[in-house]
């Protein structure tokens, strides 16, 4: 399959052959390649990652693929927002050189039989509630990193546990790529940008920033030596009063390993996942010991 250079302002590769061809040409010209994997429905958070990739490489590739392997059957794979034309327009404005938008068959042919499982930071938190998730992510990210073969790949801290799982994967498999983290991008009221925010009703949208407010308060208080457990309990009460139900977790974990800690003597992270109506929101903030 050849490169589609006519549909959008940015060329699109729908198969790995066209993708590899473009990358080979850039490499021959001595250009570094940056990569941002996405599931589309792009917002300013994704675009900030594209800008980071652009700062580190002459060429930037963004993949758009809603990965079925990271959704359980009862989750929102079918409802997940998709608007390739709008995504392409945003990417053109941010200097993306190539969109890689493979078909499901291109990624998962009928005889596909491999799953990549990462240990370490994938334990607990998201895995307790979405046990399928990190194997789905690790499998698609492995395949994309092998197909694109970038010098640098950028992932958002918004999905903080995912970022650590990918760092572990890249280290363990000696994948020759530098992983760069992009900070969480927030609305003015603190809500972390997410493609799933589009599911929120007007009333839920008003309540949604409470999640950030609560974890930021926990981070501040724990950094000033408050005990973790009562802080989390109080945070859960505040979230419940604001309409969050259920609260999957609020946790204070070591920022590098995500292991449990009694007191933050090293940099830590406050992480949370909670539901507002039918929308599951996740967020996290740094906690630096005083
Ligand atoms: O963070 C995401 O959007 C996805 O999990 C990723 C990394 C693109 C893999 O499908």
């Amino acid at each position: 399959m050849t490169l589609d250079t006519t549909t959008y302002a940015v060329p699109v590769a729908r198969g790995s052959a066209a993708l590899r061809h473009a990358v080979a040409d850039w490499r021959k010209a001595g250009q570094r390649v940056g990569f941002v994997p996405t599931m589309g429905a792009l917002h300013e958070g994704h675009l900030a990652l594209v800008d980071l990739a652009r700062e580190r490489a002459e060429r930037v590739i963004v993949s758009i693929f809603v990965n079925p392997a990271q959704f359980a059957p009862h989750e929102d794979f079918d409802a997940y927002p998709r608007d390739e034309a709008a995504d392409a327009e945003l990417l053109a404005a941010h200097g993306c050189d190539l969109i890689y938008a493979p078909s499901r068959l291109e990624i998962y042919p009928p005889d596909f039989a491999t799953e990549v499982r990462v240990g370490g930071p994938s334990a607990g938190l998201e895995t307790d509630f979405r046990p399928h998730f990190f194997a789905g992510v690790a499998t698609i990210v492995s395949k994309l990193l092998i197909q694109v073969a970038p010098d640098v790949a950028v992932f958002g801290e918004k999905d903080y546990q995912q970022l650590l799982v990918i760092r572990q994967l890249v280290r363990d498999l000696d994948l020759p790529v530098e992983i760069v983290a992009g900070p969480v991008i927030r609305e003015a009221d603190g809500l972390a940008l997410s493609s799933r925010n589009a599911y929120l009703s007007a009333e839920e949208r008003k309540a949604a920033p409470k999640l950030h407010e609560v974890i930021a308060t926990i981070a501040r208080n724990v950094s000033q030596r408050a005990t973790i457990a009562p802080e989390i309990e109080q945070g859960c009460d505040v979230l419940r009063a604001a309409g969050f139900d259920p609260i999957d977790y609020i946790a204070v974990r070591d920022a590098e390993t995500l292991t449990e800690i009694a007191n933050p003597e090293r940099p830590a992270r406050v992480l949370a996942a909670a539901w507002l109506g039918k929308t599951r929101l996740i967020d996290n903030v740094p906690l630096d010991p005083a």
Side-chain angles (χ1 to χ4, degrees):
M1 230 183 297
T2 52
L3 218 53
D4 170 1
T5 54
T6 54
T7 306
Y8 307 123
V10 183
V12 183
R14 305 228 174 250
S16 57
L19 167 76
R20 283 181 208 267
H21 208 271
V23 173
D25 283 349
W26 294 336
R27 290 225 175 281
K28 246 182 260 160
Q31 294 172 328
R32 275 169 63 82
V33 176
F35 177 47
V36 183
T38 81
M39 299 205 298
L42 302 182
H43 50 64
E44 289 300 323
H46 296 110
L47 298 172
L49 304 181
V50 175
D51 294 344
L52 275 178
R54 162 66 61 232
E55 282 167 21
R56 287 163 170 78
E58 285 87 10
R59 296 291 185 170
V60 174
I61 298 175
V62 175
S63 65
I64 298 177
F65 180 67
V66 185
N67 174 34
Q70 66 192 75
F71 291 80
H74 64 277
E75 291 184 339
D76 57 340
F77 176 75
D78 290 332
Y80 198 85
R82 292 162 171 87
D83 189 345
E84 191 181 85
D87 291 343
E89 204 170 310
L90 291 170
L91 291 173
H94 282 256
C96 169
D97 294 286
L98 179 74
I99 295 170
Y100 179 41
S103 68
R104 185 169 174 158
L105 268 183
E106 173 78 25
I107 296 292
Y108 300 118
D111 60 349
F112 189 88
T114 295
E115 189 175 70
V116 179
R117 283 192 171 270
V118 179
S122 69
L125 302 172
E126 286 300 295
T127 295
D128 288 342
F129 297 88
R130 306 185 69 200
H132 57 283
F133 180 66
F134 287 121
V137 168
T139 304
I140 186 65
V141 170
S142 302
K143 183 149 182 167
L144 291 172
L145 289 177
I146 290 165
Q147 289 183 328
V148 178
D151 297 284
V152 54
V154 188
F155 291 83
E157 286 186 340
K158 160 77 171 34
D159 295 290
Y160 192 79
Q161 190 177 10
Q162 170 177 279
L163 169 68
L164 295 196
V165 168
I166 288 161
R167 284 197 192 285
Q168 181 85 43
L169 166 80
V170 164
R171 260 197 324 272
D172 288 353
L173 299 186
D174 287 329
L175 297 179
V177 58
E178 180 196 355
I179 301 298
V180 168
V184 183
I185 306 295
R186 300 183 180 282
E187 302 279 9
D189 60 10
L191 176 64
L193 296 193
S194 162
S195 305
R196 289 190 168 101
N197 292 351
Y199 301 155
L200 295 168
S201 69
E203 203 183 321
E204 289 162 354
R205 174 63 190 82
K206 270 194 223 147
K210 265 284 176 247
L211 186 63
H212 173 244
E213 200 182 300
V214 160
I215 58 177
T217 302
I218 294 174
R220 197 173 49 246
N221 292 349
V222 173
S223 77
Q224 290 162 7
R225 302 279 158 208
T227 312
I228 292 173
E231 285 295 319
I232 290 178
E233 220 167 285
Q234 201 176 326
C236 287
D237 290 345
V238 173
L239 286 185
R240 270 187 219 103
F244 285 81
D245 182 36
I247 298 160
D248 284 351
Y249 59 84
I250 302 180
V252 179
R253 296 289 176 92
D254 183 275
E256 259 179 44
T257 61
L258 291 186
T259 48
E260 291 191 31
I261 50 171
N263 289 299
E265 267 128 37
R266 299 164 6 98
R269 209 88 193 175
V270 186
L271 307 105
W275 291 81
L276 256 185
K278 289 186 174 14
T279 310
R280 185 171 187 270
L281 298 177
I282 68 169
D283 201 351
N284 69 89
V285 292
L287 191 176
D288 293 314

